[in-house]
Amino acid sequence: MTIAQPDILPPSNLVRLGAAPADKEAAIREAAQLLIAAGCIDPQYADSMMRREDVAETYLGHGVAIPHGKVEDRGMVRRNGLSILQVPEGVEWNAGQTVHLVVAIAAESDAHIDTLRRLTNLLQDEEHLKKLFTTNDTSDIINALSEANAEPEADGAPAEDLDERFEWTVDYPSGLHARPASAWVAAARKASGSVQVRKGTAVADAKSLVSLLRLGLRQGDTIVISADGPDASSAIDRMQATVTSLSAQEKADAQAAKGPEPTAKGWTPPEEMPVIAGIGASPGLSIGPIHIYAPAEIAIADTPTPLNEGGNKLHEALTVTQTQLRVLADDTLRRLGEAEANIFRAQAELLHDTDLITLACQLMVEGHGLAWSWNEAIERTARDLESNDNEVLAARAADLRDVGRRVLARIDPSLENRDGDPLPAEPCILVAGDLSPSDTAGLDVERVLGLATVQGGPTSHTAILARTLGLPAMVGGSEALLDLENGTEVILDGQAGRLYPKPSASAIASARDWLAAQEEQHKREIAERSLPARTTDGHQVEIAANINRPDQIELALSQGGEGVGLMRTEFLFLERSSAPTEDEQYETYRAMLDGLEDRPLIVRALDIGGDKQVPHLNLPREANPFLGVRGSRLLLRRLDLLATQLRALYRAARDGESSGLSIMFPMITSVGEMQRLRAVADSIRDELDAPKVPLGAMVEVPAAAIGADILARYVDFFSIGTNDLTQYGLAIDRQHPELAAEADALHPCVLRLIRMTVEGAAKHGRWVGVCGGIAGEPFAASLLTGLGVNELSMTPRDIPAVKAALRETSLSALKALADKALACETAAEVHALDREEL
Ligand code: PEP
Ligand code: MG
């Protein structure tokens, strides 16, 4: 094992054993004196060390403190050095903190970061540390600092496996990238002991995403996964199950990433043309001027932050960003799909990485500002990943920077880079070195015709998002892309992965002809989207869209949506630091109603709790948030939130022209809840002299479905939230990394709950909608229609296919299909009916 011995490690004359300083100042001055004597610092630097104590915390924890001077006094450092004062009896640092090792640091630049890292490692080994507090041998201390630096992956390290182990050959075609790695981490974290992954002599902590990614595992690598601790054997079983169960999905993703086989339908250039080659990432052809995307550099001032304040702020920024990413994942799941949502779940996992957070804290301890330290920690880790000579890891560096920027914007909102590089008014093809998933997910698809990047592979998150957004894209293009001038006219072929700069008039004409033919076909589809979803025997199902913002109405209607069946209002509360006021909410609801004219708009009252946490509401933490104060339970406890929202809604209903508003309440479990909610709504309506608005209940828990015949008396309609009904019906956390795939809404028992809801509603002449994810799947939508559901509400892009499926068949056939499904024993049998029937 080779151990780097940076020159900052103290020689023995800089270690003083058995010191007994009277107080903290005496300790700091004594340690400083050692550095002065060794010629490391000017004598005044001792004063600088004292000044730092006034503005920052230098106690590292576990009896160790690291006094050092202020950043602006670095000029007093003559050469890097470290002195150590051992205080066996201890000296009080701050109230309640006793220090036994004073590690005084003199560093011109970041030479002592390594020392800090070693110290942090040492802090994790308390036994060892305690011995150092009383040892009589200076070399114990010097060696300890050296050993704590030992990298497990150092050359030739005789890396050892833990007690229980299994060997596996990586068969993920894209290697171990962040999405499967985060599933490994989740499985490893359930173990009480350690879980490690070894490739040759390199060892990673399976509980740390960055550590795992650093291994740079590729397909064909043989690894050993091992665990220790009391539950080592079950930990290994779990790891094995997780690791191997992901293989099929990884292979399927890799296949999908290759994109469709080129077909005769693709465009063939009519002549030889100059070309910049890359990898086709998302099919389609676009013609237009390029815009080179170069986000404005953010200058981050290095303003020292007191450690406590910095730590708290960092914690808060990380927590808020994690919530934001969960919301983004949720939203992406609804808009785009599971794989796309996982991009942001994996990003959230990066924020749990202790190495990253430790590094940021160490930089703060050194005296740097919070924003600077965080950015530096992200950059160093990202560079480390990039240097791994593995394109998959390089792509993860982009994710890390992306997520890092989100945290930075939370630490200091002025560092948000939203308007860094505005797009030109004319639609353009965006050319960039790289694009982060957030950049791509947030693109205005009306103004961007296509994407071409230098970095990235077909499995990069940007490529996945481009495919889902339907934007032609090429990745992995040559650097020549960036040499093009802004505004250069190009043809981008996202299927072939080719960009043709300055095409001739005849090439443009040929490409335009090809596009016109495609457009013609697309128009036919659009025309059919607006036809009602009427079965061949004349039964019509209402088709609505799940959207949350007025600017999505146009898309919803253009896809054939006949109204809005679910507006999730949590999005007005999440992603901001305070609750929206009544007036702000009113404006949004008014804009929704006005935009929809008289079409239906079903607004769901705030559904907070479970996976949707809003930090600024300061709600107490719960052991089981999904079973706790969530949805309507919260609304009834926080009448301030409920009343504000209802007032805004009733005002919007009263003041506008539209009569389409309905309100529904999430997670209703009992008649009592509905009665109380209705009473609050009625009194607000009276007070505002507002019109009556239908009030509905979401059916999301089995109790509501089973008791639907009773509940129906108290509601005007039901809307079934199959995402939650499945979660609660099958008792599977909808976000559980191992189980979520089994949370199948087509499980026959979930279908039975839906049937009970429909039957209960019918007894009182109420209508039933479904607004959970399955409403947007053609086969499931057919089944739901057969079960007697009257309305289906889904993500806009799912509408045309659902409408087409319903128009193709008869209600009587769908009823027969539903009966068969209800008689099935398993979800798999229900799915098999898809192939049989449709
Ligand atoms: C559902 O549970 O199906 C639903 C539509 O609500 P959400 O997904 O917002 O919990
Ligand atoms: Mg729900």
Side-chain angles (χ1 to χ4, degrees):
M1 182 184 329
T2 52
I3 297 167
Q5 294 277 358
D7 58 6
I8 198 162
L9 270 182
S12 50
N13 63 330
L14 281 174
V15 180
R16 179 168 293 166
L17 301 179
D23 55 23
K24 172 175 163 183
E25 175 162 7
I28 293 174
R29 292 201 180 276
E30 193 173 345
Q33 191 52 46
L34 293 171
L35 289 171
I36 296 167
C40 294
I41 54 172
D42 288 344
Q44 299 90 318
Y45 195 71
D47 297 327
S48 175
M49 285 177 157
M50 287 311 301
R51 283 200 298 279
R52 163 154 304 288
E53 293 301 316
D54 294 333
V55 292
E57 164 85 76
T58 58
Y59 180 69
L60 256 193
H62 299 280
V64 177
I66 48 165
H68 49 284
K70 296 190 74 176
V71 180
E72 61 267 28
D73 296 330
R74 279 205 182 145
M76 300 174 190
V77 175
R78 294 185 194 159
R79 65 180 174 83
N80 294 331
L82 202 70
S83 70
I84 297 178
L85 204 64
Q86 180 210 50
V87 190
E89 295 304 317
V91 55
E92 183 174 62
W93 209 252
N94 297 311
Q97 297 170 346
T98 304
V99 165
H100 296 277
L101 279 188
V102 181
V103 182
I105 299 171
E108 291 166 287
S109 61
D110 61 358
H112 61 297
I113 297 300
D114 240 354
T115 310
L116 279 172
R117 189 161 62 82
R118 277 172 261 150
L119 277 170
T120 343
N121 288 346
L122 206 51
L123 293 187
Q124 287 160 10
D125 186 351
E126 265 191 83
E127 282 293 309
H128 192 178
L129 194 59
K130 277 204 180 118
K131 285 193 192 125
L132 304 183
F133 293 168
T134 50
T135 180
N136 294 321
D137 188 348
T138 49
S139 59
D140 282 349
I141 294 181
I142 296 169
N143 290 342
L145 277 177
S146 313
E147 278 158 23
N149 186 40
E151 294 281 2
E153 58 266 56
D155 278 354
E160 290 199 354
D161 297 321
L162 306 173
D163 305 346
E164 298 281 339
R165 43 167 272 155
F166 77 95
E167 193 176 283
W168 185 68
T169 301
V170 180
D171 65 355
Y172 303 166
S174 307
L176 182 69
H177 56 98
R179 273 168 285 141
S182 50
W184 290 25
V185 170
R189 288 211 181 130
K190 295 202 179 100
S192 60
S194 303
V195 182
Q196 70 175 34
V197 178
R198 179 175 64 77
K199 177 185 132 194
T201 56
V203 175
D205 173 3
K207 296 184 181 181
S208 156
L209 188 58
V210 172
S211 173
L212 269 183
L213 291 177
R214 274 198 189 116
L215 282 181
L217 296 183
R218 295 166 187 266
Q219 185 173 27
D221 285 344
T222 297
I223 56 171
V224 175
I225 300 184
S226 60
D228 64 12
D231 56 351
S233 135
S234 59
I236 281 299
D237 288 349
R238 192 181 314 109
M239 286 304 290
Q240 194 158 11
T242 303
V243 164
T244 52
S245 69
L246 291 167
S247 296
Q249 185 61 47
E250 283 303 304
K251 287 175 191 165
D253 286 353
Q255 190 57 38
K258 286 188 189 148
E261 292 297 318
T263 61
K265 281 164 82 189
W267 179 64
T268 314
E271 60 204 28
E272 281 281 306
M273 297 160 66
V275 62
I276 298 177
I279 304 165
S282 173
L285 198 65
S286 41
I287 310 167
I290 60 156
H291 174 70
I292 309 230
Y293 178 74
E297 282 286 313
I298 316 171
I300 300 170
D302 188 2
T303 320
T305 324
L307 260 191
N308 275 347
E309 186 191 317
N312 289 343
K313 247 182 143 177
L314 180 60
H315 178 74
E316 190 193 317
L318 290 169
T319 314
V320 173
T321 308
Q322 270 152 4
T323 307
Q324 205 185 45
L325 287 167
R326 267 202 305 275
V327 174
L328 195 60
D330 255 22
D331 192 30
T332 309
L333 175 67
R334 283 161 197 135
R335 284 192 307 124
L336 306 179
E338 184 70 36
E340 292 75 14
N342 282 340
I343 293 171
F344 297 106
R345 294 200 185 114
Q347 283 199 350
E349 193 51 54
L350 288 169
L351 294 183
H352 288 293
D353 195 82
T354 42
D355 285 354
L356 184 66
I357 296 164
T358 308
L359 178 54
C361 292
Q362 287 166 348
L363 290 165
M364 278 193 287
V365 169
E366 184 204 342
H368 292 288
L370 168 59
W372 189 93
S373 302
W374 173 254
N375 192 51
E376 183 68 13
I378 288 282
E379 273 308 311
R380 285 188 200 179
T381 314
R383 282 198 295 269
D384 203 10
L385 288 172
E386 277 168 344
S387 67
N388 203 295
D389 186 30
N390 173 328
E391 69 179 51
V392 173
L393 285 192
R396 295 303 77 89
D399 277 313
L400 190 62
R401 290 195 172 103
D402 191 20
V403 85
R405 274 201 297 272
R406 283 181 180 276
V407 176
L408 209 52
R410 286 284 157 188
I411 292 171
D412 179 352
S414 73
L415 297 175
E416 197 159 10
N417 190 24
R418 282 226 172 113
D419 307 321
D421 189 30
L423 291 175
E426 285 296 298
C428 62
I429 292 166
L430 209 58
V431 170
D434 200 3
L435 282 174
S436 70
S438 298
D439 290 335
T440 312
L443 284 179
D444 178 353
V445 286
E446 295 299 314
R447 290 165 67 200
V448 176
L449 303 167
L451 306 174
T453 64
V454 175
Q455 312 275 324
T459 59
S460 72
H461 292 158
T462 301
I464 293 174
L465 288 168
R467 278 196 290 280
T468 321
L469 292 168
L471 282 177
M474 161 178 129
V475 294
S478 87
E479 291 276 346
L481 273 178
L482 299 177
D483 295 336
L484 293 172
E485 263 177 43
N486 251 343
T488 307
E489 195 74 9
V490 303
I491 298 174
L492 169 68
D493 182 343
Q495 180 159 311
R498 297 278 184 274
L499 184 133
Y500 303 94
K502 301 188 184 158
S504 67
S506 63
I508 292 184
S510 151
R512 285 204 199 289
D513 286 350
W514 187 88
L515 278 174
Q518 299 281 306
E519 183 69 19
E520 206 44 48
Q521 193 181 329
H522 185 62
K523 272 194 191 137
R524 275 198 302 275
E525 283 173 14
I526 291 276
E528 290 192 355
R529 282 172 200 178
S530 49
L531 293 178
R534 188 176 293 126
T535 58
T536 52
D537 49 359
H539 175 75
Q540 188 169 333
V541 182
E542 208 172 307
I543 304 294
N546 293 353
I547 58 170
N548 308 321
R549 299 194 315 260
D551 64 358
Q552 296 168 327
I553 291 177
E554 202 185 322
L555 172 72
L557 299 183
S558 75
Q559 296 295 307
E562 296 156 1
V564 171
L566 170 63
M567 175 185 175
R568 291 177 164 100
T569 56
E570 316 65 271
F571 292 93
L572 300 172
F573 286 71
L574 297 160
E575 295 210 314
R576 42 180 293 160
S577 52
S578 59
T581 62
E582 180 183 317
D583 284 345
E584 282 170 330
Q585 292 193 52
Y586 168 80
E587 292 301 334
T588 307
Y589 305 141
R590 270 300 301 273
M592 286 294 280
L593 284 167
D594 291 349
L596 285 164
E597 297 170 339
D598 269 332
R599 296 179 184 88
L601 166 66
I602 304 181
V603 176
R604 176 174 74 187
L606 190 58
D607 180 17
I608 293 296
D611 56 329
K612 302 168 194 136
Q613 298 292 338
V614 180
H616 56 81
L617 293 182
N618 294 323
L619 301 171
R621 267 186 187 281
E622 295 185 287
N624 292 304
F626 276 118
L627 301 181
V629 180
R630 181 190 165 188
S632 292
R633 297 173 188 171
L634 176 74
L635 293 173
L636 287 167
R637 281 166 177 77
R638 286 291 302 266
L639 291 174
D640 55 327
L641 294 173
L642 176 64
T644 307
Q645 184 166 34
L646 288 177
R647 285 181 62 84
L649 281 164
Y650 276 111
R651 278 174 55 201
R654 181 193 62 190
D655 299 350
E657 303 285 302
S658 160
S659 58
L661 181 68
S662 299
I663 301 171
M664 66 182 176
F665 296 101
M667 220 187 131
I668 293 289
T669 317
S670 69
V671 165
E673 285 169 347
M674 201 58 219
Q675 285 175 314
R676 287 163 62 205
L677 288 163
R678 192 179 273 282
V680 178
D682 284 348
S683 85
I684 289 174
R685 183 171 65 80
D686 275 354
E687 189 190 315
L688 294 172
D689 198 18
K692 269 202 164 182
V693 168
L695 298 181
M698 284 195 77
V699 175
E700 303 192 276
V701 297
I706 297 165
D709 55 333
I710 303 169
L711 197 55
R713 289 198 189 105
Y714 303 90
V715 303
D716 298 309
F717 65 93
F718 283 131
S719 184
I720 307 179
T722 44
N723 307 336
D724 276 313
L725 189 60
T726 308
Q727 152 166 276
Y728 294 119
L730 302 182
I732 295 179
D733 178 343
R734 61 198 259 185
Q735 297 186 317
H736 194 289
E738 273 174 55
L739 299 174
E742 288 172 48
D744 190 333
L746 292 189
H747 191 291
C749 296
V750 179
L751 297 180
R752 286 173 187 222
L753 290 169
I754 295 172
R755 167 56 65 86
M756 291 175 108
T757 309
V758 169
E759 286 174 351
K763 286 197 177 147
H764 300 277
R766 311 295 186 223
W767 65 267
V768 178
V770 170
C771 59
I774 55 164
E777 295 165 19
F779 171 66
S782 306
L783 252 179
L784 293 168
T785 303
L787 285 168
V789 164
N790 311 94
E791 179 241 31
L792 297 167
S793 190
M794 64 205 75
T795 195
R797 65 173 51 242
D798 290 341
I799 292 175
V802 165
K803 280 187 152 183
L806 293 177
R807 277 201 300 269
E808 260 170 29
T809 182
S810 68
L811 179 62
S812 52
L814 294 181
K815 281 184 173 166
L817 172 70
D819 286 342
K820 273 194 188 177
L822 288 170
C824 284
E825 292 185 0
T826 64
E829 279 178 32
V830 176
H831 284 283
L833 295 174
D834 185 5
R835 288 184 288 281
E836 236 177 68
E837 299 287 333
L838 296 176

